[in-house]
Amino acid sequence: MKATEVAAIDGAYLFEPTPYTDERGFFCRTFDADVVRSVGLDPDAFVQDSLSRSVRGVLRGLHLRSGAGEAKLVRCSYGRIFDVVVDLRPDSPTYLGRAFFELSGETQATLYVPAGCAHGFQALTDTADTSYRIDRPHDPAEDVTIAFDDPELAIPWPLPVTSMSQRDREAPSLAEVLKHEES
């Protein structure tokens, strides 16, 4: 497994496994504590795993947590997704930086999203299973959502949105979220 730093988002990493393939399919390690530790992250910090299944065109995000934030490892275990990270840490050298990835079940790459960054994705295939490993238990009272189509972010979502949650559909702009966080 190889860890690569994400230039556009300070502290973000892409973990790419080495799949072993044969006539049966493939096998690969999707999490390796030693590799995670080698880039300065604590592998024992992750306390909760979750899985979402989405259909083509579904958009989830942009989400983050208030307070201490939430670091996460994100992987598309089946299908393909267009994945987005936005750095919203005011003290970060990549503040307001954006990074886009295609994560897929073919590569099994895992993206580390640092706390304080917004995250979202769109399913590119008829079925896309996305797994999350987060560093603190989920508390809905800390959920923050930013409009996926905020012109300030200009995210190039690849497909028309076929479905999203009501919370995502009614999300405020980035400017509104930042103004609320400052007060």
Side-chain angles (χ1 to χ4, degrees):
M1 179 173 278
K2 174 177 84 170
T4 306
E5 204 168 349
V6 175
I9 306 290
D10 185 52
Y13 291 90
L14 187 64
F15 295 94
E16 298 172 279
T18 305
Y20 299 94
T21 60
D22 62 22
E23 68 278 355
R24 300 169 295 167
F26 75 87
F27 170 86
C28 69
R29 182 177 304 131
T30 60
F31 181 80
D32 186 315
D34 289 337
V35 175
V36 169
R37 200 176 288 110
S38 77
V39 297
L41 302 175
D42 178 5
D44 297 326
F46 297 96
V47 300
Q48 188 175 357
D49 285 1
S50 301
L51 176 71
S52 70
R53 174 164 288 167
S54 304
V55 298
R56 182 175 159 79
V58 165
L59 195 139
R60 296 179 187 262
L62 298 165
H63 302 151
L64 70 151
R65 301 239 332 253
S66 62
E70 169 185 88
K72 61 178 92 171
L73 293 167
V74 180
R75 178 173 57 90
C76 181
S77 57
Y78 181 83
R80 288 184 306 119
I81 62 172
F82 175 76
D83 199 84
V84 176
V85 180
V86 180
D87 189 345
L88 296 179
R89 302 166 295 172
D91 296 336
S92 170
T94 55
Y95 180 61
L96 297 180
R98 304 166 310 142
F100 312 120
F101 305 88
E102 184 174 296
L103 301 179
S104 76
E106 290 294 315
T107 67
Q108 295 292 320
T110 298
L111 176 64
Y112 173 73
V113 180
C117 292
H119 174 259
F121 69 87
Q122 184 176 43
L124 300 176
T125 52
D126 289 340
T127 302
D129 289 347
T130 306
S131 62
Y132 315 81
R133 179 172 276 189
I134 61 174
D135 70 344
R136 28 186 222 124
H138 181 248
D139 180 353
E142 296 177 329
D143 288 348
V144 176
T145 306
I146 298 168
F148 78 100
D149 57 353
D150 187 305
E152 185 176 344
L153 296 174
I155 297 170
W157 299 105
L159 299 174
V161 176
T162 58
S163 183
M164 67 173 48
S165 70
Q166 182 173 344
R167 178 182 83 158
D168 290 350
R169 197 174 19 262
E170 296 172 353
S173 69
L174 175 62
E176 291 174 79
V177 169
L178 293 177
K179 183 177 178 181
H180 182 265
E181 292 293 313
E182 290 172 358
S183 54

